[in-house]
Amino acid sequence: DSGVTQTPKHLITATGQRVTLRCSPRSGDLSVYWYQQSLDQGLQFLIQYYNGEERAKGNILERFSAQQFPDLHSELNLSSLELGDSALYFCASSVDSRHYNEQFFGPGTRLTVL
Amino acid sequence: GNSVTQMEGPVTLSEEAFLTINCTYTATGYPSLFWYVQYPGEGLQLLLKATKADDKGSNKGFEATYRKETTSFHLEKGSVQVSDSAVYFCALSDQDAGGTSYGKLTFGQGTILTVHP
C-alpha cells in the first residue's frame, strides 16, 4: 500500500459525459501528479500540482482540467468524453517537486467510455 | 524533448533464468533514472533508481547501472522467479545542473515479463 488513494476504482460512462476522479496523496506529500495509461499511448504525464498551484503541464487535453484543494487532495475532471479517453488514470504524490524525490503511485481509476 | 525507449516485449522466461530488459534514454539535462514495476491490477512501484552517471541501483535482486556514455539503464536479474511476472517500466526525471528536478516522469512503453515454473 503506497498511501495514495484514488476513487473510484472503476468508472463506466458514455461519450459526451463528464467525470471527476479523486486522489488523496500520502500524508505530508505536497505534490500531486496525474498520469494516463492507455494501450496506444502508454504512460503519459498529464499535470502536476504543488501545494495547491499548478507546477507543470504535459499532454493534457483542453477538455481535461485538474485542481488541488487546501487539504491537498486533487481532482481530475474529464469532460465531453470520447471513446479514446478510455484508460487507466494514475495519481502519484511526492514530498516536494523542486528536488528529486520518489513518487508514490495510487492504484488507479479505470475509465471506460462507451 | 526527453524520451525513453525499452526493448520490445513481451519477455517469457523459465524460473531461474537470467533477465535483461534494455532501456535507453534521451534527455536535455541531468536525468535521474528509474525502474518501476506494475503487478496485475496494481499501481506502479519503484523498483530501483540511480541519480547520477555510474550509479548502480539495486533492489530485490534486480540491478541497473546508469551509463551516460551509452545513455542506457538496462535492468538485470540473475535468477528470476514466477513472482517477478509483471510489467516493467523504465523512466526518467530530468533536472538541471543545480539539482532542481522537473518532477514529472517520462516512461518507456513497458515490458511484460512472464516467468514460467
Side-chain angles (χ1 to χ4, degrees):
Chain A
D1 185 352
S2 67
V4 178
T5 60
Q6 289 188 248
T7 56
K9 197 171 176 67
H10 301 278
L11 201 47
I12 301 175
T13 188
T15 55
Q17 295 298 304
R18 173 189 170 94
V19 297
T20 297
L21 313 183
R22 183 188 168 99
C23 168
S24 293
R26 289 189 324 153
S27 177
D29 284 359
L30 299 177
S31 201
V32 169
Y33 308 78
W34 286 97
Y35 294 87
Q36 179 195 58
Q37 184 179 31
S38 62
L39 283 175
D40 54 344
Q41 304 270 27
L43 255 169
Q44 288 201 90
F45 167 73
L46 294 179
I47 197 164
Q48 175 197 358
Y49 277 81
Y50 174 73
N51 204 18
E53 294 189 2
E54 183 183 303
R55 178 61 64 93
K57 245 181 180 176
N59 298 325
I60 188 165
L61 300 171
E62 283 192 14
R63 300 183 286 108
F64 296 2
S65 65
Q67 57 185 126
Q68 186 178 26
F69 294 85
D71 67 352
L72 300 177
H73 91 271
S74 178
E75 292 181 356
L76 180 66
N77 300 296
L78 316 177
S79 62
S80 302
L81 286 167
E82 302 175 0
L83 296 178
D85 298 327
S86 295
L88 196 50
Y89 291 84
F90 287 109
C91 167
S93 73
S94 65
V95 171
D96 194 347
S97 70
R98 294 164 295 173
H99 306 285
Y100 160 71
N101 48 92
E102 181 179 346
Q103 292 183 28
F104 292 85
F105 282 76
T109 293
R110 182 169 295 282
L111 173 66
T112 303
V113 182
L114 302 175
Chain B
N2 300 334
S3 67
V4 176
T5 302
Q6 286 180 236
M7 65 183 290
E8 304 221 353
V11 175
T12 303
L13 296 172
S14 297
E15 206 164 26
E16 299 183 3
F18 184 84
L19 168 71
T20 299
I21 301 178
N22 290 338
C23 171
T24 58
Y25 68 90
T26 58
T28 54
Y30 301 82
S32 294
L33 301 174
F34 310 89
W35 277 99
Y36 279 82
V37 60
Q38 184 179 28
Y39 297 102
E42 297 184 14
L44 282 78
Q45 301 174 28
L46 179 64
L47 180 59
L48 53 84
K49 67 180 187 288
T51 57
K52 60 183 188 298
D54 299 324
D55 270 1
K56 177 186 279 189
S58 61
N59 185 28
K60 299 181 182 179
F62 291 90
E63 292 184 341
T65 301
Y66 188 144
R67 302 281 187 205
K68 189 175 181 181
E69 64 275 13
T70 55
T71 61
S72 64
F73 192 56
H74 305 319
L75 182 68
E76 296 182 337
K77 187 175 185 182
S79 176
V80 294
Q81 306 300 312
V82 172
S83 57
D84 293 327
S85 298
V87 184
Y88 291 81
F89 292 91
C90 185
L92 71 82
S93 173
D94 212 350
Q95 57 194 27
D96 62 25
T100 297
S101 170
Y102 297 120
K104 66 169 187 172
L105 293 167
T106 299
F107 287 92
Q109 61 268 45
T111 300
I112 301 172
L113 171 65
T114 304
V115 181
H116 292 297

